[in-house]
Amino acid sequence: MTVASSASGLLAMLQEQHPALKLYALNNLNYLADHFWPEISTNISTIESLYEDECFEEKQLAALVASKVFYHLGELNDSLIYALGAGPLFDVSEESEYVQTLVAKCIDEYVALRVKASESTEEAANIDPRLVAIVERMLDKCMSDGKFQQAVGIALECRRLDKLEQAISKSENVSAMLSYCLRLSQTHVDKREFRHEVLRLIVNLYQGLPSPDYLSVCQCLMFLDDPGNVANILDELIKGDKVDTLLAYQVAFDLFENEYQPFLLNVRDSLPDPQTTSSSKMVVEGTVTSSIENDSSVGNVETSAANSPLTGAGVLLDGTAGRQAAEDTTSTTEHGSSSSQELSVYADRMVKLKGILSGETPIHLALQFLYGRNRSDLLTLKTIKQSVEMRNSVCHSATIYANALMHAGTTVDTFLRENLDWLSRATNWAKFSATAGLGVIHRGHLQQGRSLMAPYLPQNGGSGGGSPYSEGGALYALGLIHANHGEGIKQFLLESLRNTNNEVIQHGACLGLGLAALGTADEEVYEDIKSVLYTDSAVAGEAAGIAMGLLMVGTASEKAGEMLAYAHDTQHEKIIRGLAIGIALVVYGREEEADTLIEQMTRDQDPILRYGGMYALALAYRGTANNSAIRRLLHFAVSDVSDDVRRAAVLALGFVLCSEPEQTPRIVSLLSESYNAHVRYGAALAVGISCAGSGSSEAVSLLEPLTSDAVDFVRQGALMSMAMVLMQTTEARDPHVGTFRRQLEKIVLDKHEDTMSKMGAILAYGILDAGGRNVSIMLQSRTGHDRAMAVVGMAIFTQFWYWYPLIYFISLSFAPTAFIGLNHELKMPKFEFISDIRPSIFSYPPPTAPPSTSSNIKLPMAVLSTSARAKARAKKEVDSKASAGKPLPREVNTNLSSDSSGSTEGTEKDLTTTTRDGDAMEVDTGPEKKATNAEPSSEVLSNPARVVPLQEKYIKFPEGCRFAPVKKTPSGFVMLRDLDPLEPVELVSTNAPSTGLPSSNVGATVPANSMPVDDEPAPPEPFVYVP
Amino acid sequence: MEAKFADAEKLFDRLKSAFVAQDYETSITLLSQLKVKLTEFSGLPPLYRQTPTQVQELVLARSILEYAVILSVKTEDQESFERHFLQLKPYYTDTRQLISRSSEEYPILGLNLLRLLVQNRIAEFHTELELLPPEALDDVCLKHAIELEQSFMEGAYNRVLNARQAFPHETYLYFMDLLAKTVRDEIAGCSEKAFDFLTVADAKKILMFSSDQELLKYAAE
């Protein structure tokens, strides 16, 4: 086979006069360019002049050859220019390296130009139309090849909505493509405005589908902040049949999960009130229906008077819905009555829907779950309590905080009740936080919250006997109970704020108000808080600053300027700090919009305001992983003169990266080795924040050396971060958990350990076992939307550096990790599903063994504790009969062996609790028995169950199950479709937390309260007697 | 393809007759027609498709280009010479397996060497030289060119000028004349530096002119 050895002949031919010869030479050069480009490159000017020669017909061919040569020379820019000149001859579908490289270059160039054009808000006219042509050809090719995902990606990058639309609508699986696009737009589009445009497009496309995926549509609409449309969709859905209604409920639950209160309230308010809509329809319909209406109202005596005018409107409802409703109704045959019934069905559904949106239903259900499944380990607390020195108030209150966090949302305050005496040592601010801790424990107990706190609350009409600290704490607690759902309590808190001049009470009331009215931007509340701020009292002012921020979360209102001005005026550092954080909260999630304000703050003379600027960056860009934000933060982390600012800057990285937790350890790993302890501390918390609940091994290995750092506060931060990372991780999945728990224990028991790290360890216990081991820190909802309340809570939590009571804010970021299946009546049916993995991987950690006195040998100890239990049981039954309604003797913690009996005495029992106690024992022993045998490969969970986020992918629904879930991901609230509606449904018996009983006051009567018997120590380990 | 080939051959015959008749104008037009025709044959470089008529095509194309090269010497057109030579070269280097050596090959290669010498492109001259097979160096035409180069480099200009009398091929005459001029340019350049002034007689001797007129004419240039 003969091959050409040189292109010189062809190059010579280019000099020929005859155009046919030139053409021939060019053609061949084009064909040979990949081999002979070095030779051609010496003559490139000839080819270039051919391209520029007006008379030459095949300019484009010349351009193509030139482009190839430049490509080989590595001059991509020149190559691109000539490739553009080659026009249609540049074949995007060619598989060669040259074409692929150039197409990539083309797209990059185009993306850069588009982005620039959209940012400078000028017309994109200066983009080379030839470039556009190539990109479009590439997109068309992707689409014709069926590579729709690529097409969507490129279109998104190029910001070409028209192409995006085309790509999505041409693909075979439109809805899959839409959800892909939705995910992309969340993770990769970092311009807020463009993201919104994309989302709008997605919504439009979804609505064009025959069966729109309402779950996704509503998510999009929520991102777009469009409550009106969501309300319309929901309204339509609940007018439909049962399945649609379930879907509506599911949508509502999903929306609720994002905890975007103002939006939810708006949706709820724009939903029509069933009564008013029908009457308004009546007005329209007027005379036409009047005759029917008269007939029916006469016919139906049982329908109330209010219902009669509604019947007419009911007829108007869509036909299928009517039929469906008719099936639902039991026996009515008469048209009028069926429609009225249907209307009441509609009204009923509307009420339920609003219940979900306002948060009542889900919060109630979550409360039931947390209460029912509480697995907190009181023994750990007891150990902590005993090992902490009495005089050390920091550790004393840390224990109280840890208790509050461990029982967050479970309403279980046994520990406090048992240790009232010990608790009473808390004075002043410690008392404030002890009282506020009740709020964390009873979080979400909306109905009874106020009555629970009543004994501590300031009495109306005068400052009663209570100490201002407990009163302030109680107001703060009310805020925590009603966080983000504070419509009912707002007025009360506002009045309390107005009625007091005491700065401690003002402090509590401000925080409480901020929490309860989170993000509502209520003017009236704002004005009141502002007047507190202007009293220029350090303590109250700090809380006021934060509260203003809480109130205005994410509004980016001009109030921020006002706050900044006052921050410059005041002398109190506390107030400046409060305001700085407040300003940061105001710009929450505004991304680029916040840049001017951030710039202003970060350039300020005052380090505290720069500190606030870091938080503003963190919150404005939370979860976006925005490169410019990360760059700015890293810059401050290494260059600012103030340690506080540097610490905050590193810490802020955790917020910015919380959507991509796997990135954080890598980014902060260098900082974690900084010589500056503040930077190390920040790095520890940043990892803790972004990797919370992930159990990520990189995070753990980064934190591990920090837990034994030379500086005490770094240890503290590292311990707490470690606890955040390892939340709900079992030892079976990651052996670090066990090591970490032992380390915590060692630190707590070690008398010579620094107070700071001891406090960190105690709090770490609280975080590790938070919410009865049923919650996890989730800064993002399952759909990838940031949970505003959680992020805000976490941000304020990190302020505990300056002010311990702010620790409680972390409870805002707790989310129950539960699967709660609900039927169309929003009740939990009995229902089982499978977790297809070894139970130990995701099980609760085993309860700590009762502490053994050091010198005792094992066997007698076991016998002793069993007999002690038996005695305790007998004694308890006697007690429960005898001591109803009487104050109980206070527990005396003198020796360890009395623990098991002593702990049961703290609360009053009746016979039912005793039996429940027995059940609990069985539950406890169950897993242990399993563990001794060969472990099964799957386990059956029953509704409602704890499902850890990482466990979700193993959840399966058994074949032939009666209930089918409406949405795919098995977590959170899931609506279940009943496949066999005629069978009676067995509901899960709900042991709702106790109601209406005032909580114990310090030193007052201990009230009856049907507490679960979690304080019961674990039964002894099953053992085999070996003679 | 056959027809095209026949066409080309016919055209080539006309070219030959025109060339023999020393009608260079017609030859050039015919040649350019022929070259366009050649582009249609796919058996030629650089494609080398294996067609049934590939060998004939190659031979024909080669002789056409050889004519083109010689024609450009006759018309004293160096550019066209270079162009055509470069087009011809693949036929000499890449087609060894397909067609046998042309009788014109060495004279033309020699011509090319001479041209490079004339244009004072010594580097390229040596590159070309290296590409030649050893046995080619024995050829009289090539040897001539190589000797000339050696004399030129040594500064034995009289040998260069005398070599004009002993040309191996009639086409070499043109280049030999040019070469004489190149040599004189070199000498003149050197003597400018070497002498402050020169008598006409000395200059005549140095530049190896046979008469004063020639010298004056050269000086005028």
Side-chain angles (χ1 to χ4, degrees):
Chain A
M1 181 62 206
T2 318
V3 280
S5 63
S6 159
S8 54
L10 292 167
L11 288 170
M13 218 185 262
L14 284 178
Q15 312 283 354
E16 296 277 2
Q17 301 300 313
H18 205 289
L21 288 175
K22 288 183 185 173
L23 183 57
Y24 172 78
L26 268 182
N27 260 325
N28 283 316
L29 282 176
N30 180 32
Y31 169 73
L32 292 169
D34 289 341
H35 298 289
F36 294 114
W37 58 269
E39 270 184 282
I40 305 174
S41 66
T42 52
N43 282 42
I44 192 78
S45 54
T46 326
I47 297 173
E48 282 176 314
S49 61
L50 273 181
Y51 169 64
E52 276 146 28
D53 185 356
E54 288 301 320
C55 321
F56 189 57
E57 286 159 17
E58 291 296 329
K59 290 171 63 169
Q60 296 186 329
L61 188 61
L64 186 61
V65 175
S67 164
K68 282 186 180 176
V69 173
F70 277 122
Y71 160 72
H72 284 293
L73 288 173
E75 301 282 343
L76 283 186
N77 285 326
D78 287 332
S79 178
L80 183 60
I81 291 167
Y82 281 105
L84 293 180
L89 288 181
F90 182 73
D91 181 9
V92 288
S93 61
E94 209 177 293
E95 291 290 306
S96 72
E97 206 177 307
Y98 157 72
V99 169
Q100 285 174 354
T101 315
L102 272 201
V103 165
K105 171 91 185 155
C106 247
I107 292 172
D108 284 352
E109 192 91 342
Y110 184 59
V111 168
L113 285 172
R114 289 284 297 183
V115 169
K116 214 161 142 198
S118 69
E119 268 166 24
S120 60
T121 63
E122 283 163 31
E123 270 307 293
N126 51 357
I127 295 183
D128 193 335
R130 298 174 303 179
L131 190 65
V132 182
I134 288 192
V135 175
E136 284 183 357
R137 252 158 53 207
M138 190 65 211
L139 281 171
D140 290 341
K141 190 196 145 230
C142 278
M143 283 183 237
S144 58
D145 291 358
K147 295 175 185 161
F148 291 101
Q149 295 203 339
Q150 279 92 325
V152 166
I154 298 175
L156 267 182
E157 283 225 40
C158 301
R159 312 200 168 185
R160 287 289 299 265
L161 288 176
D162 51 337
K163 286 286 163 190
L164 182 64
E165 184 173 358
Q166 205 182 340
I168 293 174
S169 52
K170 271 190 182 170
S171 66
E172 306 92 37
N173 189 347
V174 179
S175 56
M177 201 48 72
L178 278 172
S179 55
Y180 174 74
C181 182
L182 179 59
R183 210 176 62 235
L184 273 188
S185 65
Q186 289 312 316
T187 49
H188 293 296
V189 180
D190 48 3
K191 273 274 172 296
R192 195 175 137 102
E193 290 143 49
F194 179 65
R195 189 159 61 225
H196 282 187
E197 281 171 39
V198 174
L199 290 173
R200 237 168 262 135
L201 175 77
I202 295 176
V203 170
N204 283 342
L205 287 172
Y206 264 128
Q207 281 169 345
L209 294 182
S211 57
D213 178 357
Y214 286 112
L215 293 177
S216 308
V217 173
C218 291
Q219 291 294 336
C220 290
L221 288 171
M222 186 184 64
F223 292 133
L224 290 171
D225 203 2
D226 184 356
N229 265 328
V230 176
N232 285 344
I233 291 173
L234 288 176
D235 193 31
E236 282 304 312
L237 281 175
I238 57 169
K239 278 179 193 154
D241 57 15
K242 258 186 174 173
V243 179
D244 281 352
T245 316
L246 285 180
L247 200 57
Y249 293 157
Q250 186 67 62
V251 166
F253 275 122
D254 281 3
L255 292 178
F256 166 77
E257 256 181 21
N258 292 317
E259 297 188 338
Y260 188 19
Q261 190 189 13
F263 179 76
L264 290 175
L265 291 182
N266 280 336
V267 173
R268 198 194 56 187
D269 294 344
S270 30
L271 276 174
D273 193 35
Q275 307 291 324
T276 52
T277 36
S278 14
S279 50
S280 68
K281 272 180 186 168
M282 268 313 297
V283 177
V284 180
E285 284 307 313
T287 52
V288 186
T289 51
S290 58
S291 57
I292 310 169
E293 171 199 326
N294 286 337
D295 289 348
S296 58
S297 58
V298 171
N300 288 297
V301 197
E302 77 274 12
T303 50
S304 68
N307 259 352
S308 61
L310 306 179
T311 51
V315 183
L316 302 173
L317 289 174
D318 129 273
T320 49
R323 272 199 300 284
Q324 181 67 37
E327 283 166 26
D328 292 347
T329 57
T330 45
S331 61
T332 40
T333 46
E334 202 185 338
H335 184 73
S337 101
S338 95
S339 61
S340 79
Q341 197 112 12
E342 179 203 309
L343 207 80
S344 69
V345 167
Y346 171 71
D348 181 42
R349 287 171 175 177
M350 188 58 94
V351 169
K352 279 185 180 141
L353 192 63
K354 290 192 169 183
I356 301 171
L357 287 173
S358 66
E360 282 165 31
T361 320
I363 288 179
H364 181 68
L365 288 167
L367 194 66
Q368 272 181 15
F369 168 78
L370 288 176
Y371 170 75
R373 302 279 159 146
N374 174 29
R375 288 294 197 89
S376 59
D377 198 342
L378 282 173
L379 224 55
T380 2
L381 273 175
K382 212 157 266 168
T383 324
I384 298 171
K385 197 193 87 183
Q386 274 151 11
S387 59
V388 164
E389 267 180 81
M390 289 302 178
R391 287 184 304 279
N392 190 335
S393 65
V394 173
C395 291
H396 183 267
S397 26
T399 315
I400 297 172
Y401 292 129
N403 169 58
L405 294 181
M406 268 191 202
H407 295 104
T410 61
T411 73
V412 177
D413 48 9
T414 331
F415 180 77
L416 297 180
R417 284 163 197 285
E418 280 171 16
N419 299 298
L420 290 174
D421 203 22
W422 172 80
L423 197 60
S424 64
R425 275 195 204 97
T427 49
N428 296 343
W429 283 109
K431 195 169 193 173
F432 176 89
S433 28
T435 322
L438 283 173
V440 176
I441 293 174
H442 291 281
R443 180 157 172 251
H445 213 158
L446 300 187
Q447 291 88 9
Q448 273 85 43
R450 195 164 154 195
S451 48
L452 276 167
M453 298 312 297
Y456 307 103
L457 287 171
Q459 305 303 318
N460 272 348
S463 53
S467 112
Y469 290 102
S470 67
E471 287 178 6
L475 291 173
Y476 179 26
L478 273 184
L480 286 165
I481 292 175
H482 292 267
N484 214 6
H485 299 280
E487 281 197 310
I489 204 75
K490 198 162 75 183
Q491 208 50 42
F492 172 75
L493 287 168
L494 202 56
E495 273 161 26
S496 311
L497 181 64
R498 284 173 186 161
N499 287 342
T500 183
N501 286 319
N502 186 309
E503 59 175 9
V504 179
I505 299 177
Q506 279 176 339
H507 182 89
C510 280
L511 287 179
L513 259 180
L515 280 165
L518 188 74
T520 51
D522 188 316
E523 279 297 325
E524 189 193 355
V525 180
Y526 181 82
E527 287 307 318
D528 272 294
I529 296 181
K530 198 164 83 181
S531 61
V532 173
L533 178 72
Y534 286 158
T535 57
D536 206 37
S537 125
V539 172
E542 181 186 33
I546 295 175
M548 285 159 101
L550 287 171
L551 204 58
M552 295 289 167
V553 161
T555 53
S557 73
E558 69 285 0
K559 300 276 193 323
E562 200 176 289
M563 290 159 77
L564 196 58
Y566 190 75
H568 282 125
D569 281 351
T570 184
Q571 297 293 315
H572 295 287
E573 279 193 9
K574 274 173 105 60
I575 298 182
I576 302 175
R577 188 172 304 117
L579 283 169
I581 296 304
I583 297 167
L585 292 172
V586 173
V587 295
Y588 175 87
R590 306 307 284 207
E591 300 177 28
E592 293 86 4
E593 232 178 289
D595 277 352
T596 14
L597 192 67
I598 292 174
E599 194 69 6
Q600 209 179 336
M601 289 176 85
T602 51
R603 283 170 187 275
D604 205 281
Q605 293 279 311
D606 188 345
I608 301 176
L609 281 178
R610 289 207 300 279
Y611 173 87
M614 295 305 109
Y615 273 93
L617 256 174
L619 293 177
Y621 290 96
R622 83 280 167 267
T624 56
N626 183 301
N627 277 333
S628 97
I630 294 174
R631 208 176 48 241
R632 277 184 276 173
L633 286 173
L634 285 173
H635 173 75
F636 279 102
V638 293
S639 67
D640 203 278
V641 288
S642 158
D643 280 340
D644 289 341
V645 179
R646 296 176 70 166
R647 189 180 66 236
V650 185
L651 197 149
L653 284 172
F655 287 100
V656 177
L657 289 167
C658 73
S659 60
E660 289 170 35
E662 60 286 348
Q663 293 244 27
T664 323
R666 202 168 46 77
I667 290 184
V668 301
S669 64
L670 272 180
L671 292 170
S672 76
E673 290 160 16
S674 164
Y675 71 95
N676 185 321
H678 289 266
V679 172
R680 292 203 298 277
Y681 176 89
L685 275 191
V687 172
I689 291 164
S690 64
C691 304
S694 68
S696 137
S697 57
E698 290 111 66
V700 171
S701 51
L702 189 136
L703 289 171
E704 214 159 23
L706 290 175
T707 55
S708 46
D709 198 275
V711 179
D712 52 358
F713 66 80
V714 179
R715 285 202 296 278
Q716 180 191 45
L719 288 171
M720 293 172 70
S721 298
M722 191 78 136
M724 290 188 214
V725 174
L726 292 177
M727 261 177 137
Q728 293 197 334
T729 311
T730 55
E731 202 164 349
R733 212 161 63 78
D734 188 348
H736 282 109
V737 184
T739 341
F740 180 58
R741 277 184 191 274
R742 281 188 290 281
Q743 188 186 7
L744 287 182
E745 199 179 336
K746 203 181 124 252
I747 294 175
V748 170
L749 293 177
D750 187 353
K751 289 239 179 329
H752 305 293
E753 191 64 48
D754 287 312
T755 308
M756 285 288 258
S757 54
K758 219 167 197 176
M759 172 191 169
I762 296 170
L763 286 177
Y765 262 127
I767 295 168
L768 202 56
D769 291 339
R773 294 176 171 169
N774 282 316
V775 299
S776 181
I777 293 175
M778 279 190 220
L779 298 186
Q780 292 212 310
S781 69
R782 290 169 184 90
T783 46
H785 192 262
D786 54 299
R787 294 171 68 228
M789 183 170 83
V791 179
V792 166
M794 188 53 98
I796 300 180
F797 160 72
T798 56
Q799 305 304 314
F800 80 87
W801 178 275
Y802 302 102
W803 193 234
Y804 287 154
L806 297 178
I807 286 173
Y808 289 133
F809 270 85
I810 200 178
S811 67
L812 299 191
S813 59
F814 292 161
T817 49
F819 174 94
I820 301 177
L822 297 171
N823 67 3
H824 63 98
E825 286 173 317
L826 302 183
K827 297 267 162 49
M828 287 186 265
K830 271 220 166 96
F831 156 75
E832 287 185 335
F833 53 96
I834 300 167
S835 162
D836 195 11
I837 188 160
R838 284 183 296 125
S840 71
I841 299 284
F842 294 113
S843 65
Y844 292 98
T848 27
S852 52
T853 32
S854 53
S855 60
N856 273 359
I857 47 161
K858 281 256 153 90
L859 200 59
M861 179 59 201
V863 171
L864 196 120
S865 75
T866 344
S867 59
R869 269 189 62 77
K871 267 188 237 158
R873 176 93 47 87
K875 190 179 173 195
K876 180 171 60 189
E877 277 176 41
V878 175
D879 274 352
S880 60
K881 280 169 196 149
S883 65
K886 284 181 196 164
L888 279 161
R890 222 151 274 140
E891 179 197 350
V892 191
N893 281 308
T894 46
N895 62 48
L896 292 170
S897 61
S898 74
D899 267 359
S900 53
S901 56
S903 61
T904 55
E905 294 176 0
T907 49
E908 191 182 359
K909 302 272 182 307
D910 55 5
L911 284 170
T912 46
T913 51
T914 321
T915 51
R916 202 184 290 154
D917 177 19
D919 292 344
M921 269 167 53
E922 274 167 32
V923 172
D924 279 346
T925 49
E928 281 160 22
K929 270 179 200 155
K930 261 187 219 157
T932 52
N933 302 330
E935 203 176 7
S937 64
S938 67
E939 70 181 322
V940 174
L941 300 172
S942 60
N943 184 31
R946 177 175 100 140
V947 175
V948 178
L950 291 166
Q951 194 180 0
E952 279 166 20
K953 54 177 175 285
Y954 302 108
I955 297 296
K956 285 186 184 141
F957 297 94
E959 295 278 321
C961 178
R962 188 177 152 185
F963 294 98
V966 171
K967 73 168 180 177
K968 290 187 192 78
T969 43
S971 58
F973 298 99
V974 176
M975 299 304 301
L976 300 169
R977 197 148 48 89
D978 194 345
L979 300 177
D980 190 4
L982 298 176
E983 287 280 308
V985 182
E986 205 182 338
L987 295 175
V988 174
S989 60
T990 53
N991 40 358
S994 60
T995 56
L997 294 164
S999 149
S1000 59
N1001 205 338
V1002 181
T1005 321
V1006 180
N1009 196 343
S1010 61
M1011 298 305 300
V1013 200
D1014 293 286
D1015 46 338
E1016 192 71 10
E1021 300 275 334
F1023 60 92
V1024 181
Y1025 178 70
V1026 184
Chain B
M1 192 51 84
E2 306 278 289
K4 272 189 203 162
F5 187 68
D7 262 4
E9 274 199 319
K10 228 179 277 166
L11 216 56
F12 183 44
D13 287 338
R14 282 175 59 197
L15 171 68
K16 276 196 262 189
S17 53
F19 182 75
V20 171
Q22 302 207 330
D23 184 357
Y24 298 136
E25 297 255 323
T26 335
S27 305
I28 289 170
T29 31
L30 284 173
L31 188 64
S32 81
Q33 282 171 25
L34 267 172
K35 282 193 285 188
V36 175
K37 285 251 185 280
L38 284 183
T39 60
E40 290 161 14
F41 297 133
S42 56
L44 300 183
L47 300 173
Y48 300 116
R49 296 251 167 72
Q50 278 170 336
T51 57
T53 53
Q54 193 186 13
V55 174
Q56 289 104 301
E57 281 173 23
L58 283 171
V59 173
L60 177 68
R62 189 176 62 183
S63 9
I64 291 173
L65 287 172
E66 280 168 351
Y67 266 90
V69 170
I70 294 166
L71 188 64
S72 32
V73 177
K74 297 276 184 209
T75 52
E76 308 193 343
D77 183 349
Q78 287 190 47
E79 264 182 44
S80 130
F81 176 88
E82 182 177 1
R83 215 163 55 223
H84 289 125
F85 176 76
L86 285 173
Q87 289 177 40
L88 180 59
K89 217 176 139 197
Y91 293 89
Y92 292 155
T93 53
D94 302 346
T95 58
R96 281 282 170 266
Q97 307 98 310
L98 297 172
I99 50 175
S100 58
R101 176 168 307 192
S102 148
S103 58
E104 295 293 312
E105 179 171 338
Y106 290 143
I108 287 180
L109 286 175
L111 268 180
N112 184 48
L113 288 177
L114 211 53
R115 170 184 69 90
L116 292 173
L117 207 53
V118 166
Q119 291 172 347
N120 220 349
R121 284 151 74 175
I122 304 300
E124 281 168 73
F125 178 92
H126 283 279
T127 319
E128 289 295 319
L129 206 56
E130 291 305 316
L131 289 172
L132 291 175
E135 68 270 15
L137 300 182
D138 298 334
D139 185 81
V140 66
C141 298
L142 289 172
K143 220 175 192 165
H144 181 72
I146 294 163
E147 278 168 4
L148 278 177
E149 194 262 350
Q150 278 167 355
S151 320
F152 191 52
M153 287 299 107
E154 285 165 10
Y157 294 129
N158 55 339
R159 257 193 279 162
V160 178
L161 290 183
N162 292 337
R164 190 178 181 278
Q165 274 75 44
F167 58 89
H169 197 274
E170 36 137 5
T171 47
Y172 279 44
L173 257 176
Y174 163 61
F175 281 118
M176 295 305 290
D177 288 339
L178 290 175
L179 189 60
K181 189 170 178 300
T182 314
V183 168
R184 286 196 178 104
D185 285 345
E186 284 284 301
I187 299 171
C190 293
S191 33
E192 247 176 29
K193 296 260 158 37
F195 308 103
D196 290 335
F197 62 93
L198 266 179
T199 60
V200 175
D202 289 341
K204 194 176 86 177
K205 200 175 164 200
I206 290 174
L207 292 172
M208 288 172 276
F209 280 116
S210 47
S211 67
D212 287 356
Q213 278 116 340
E214 279 177 272
L215 174 66
L216 291 174
K217 204 171 132 199
Y218 178 76
E221 280 174 23

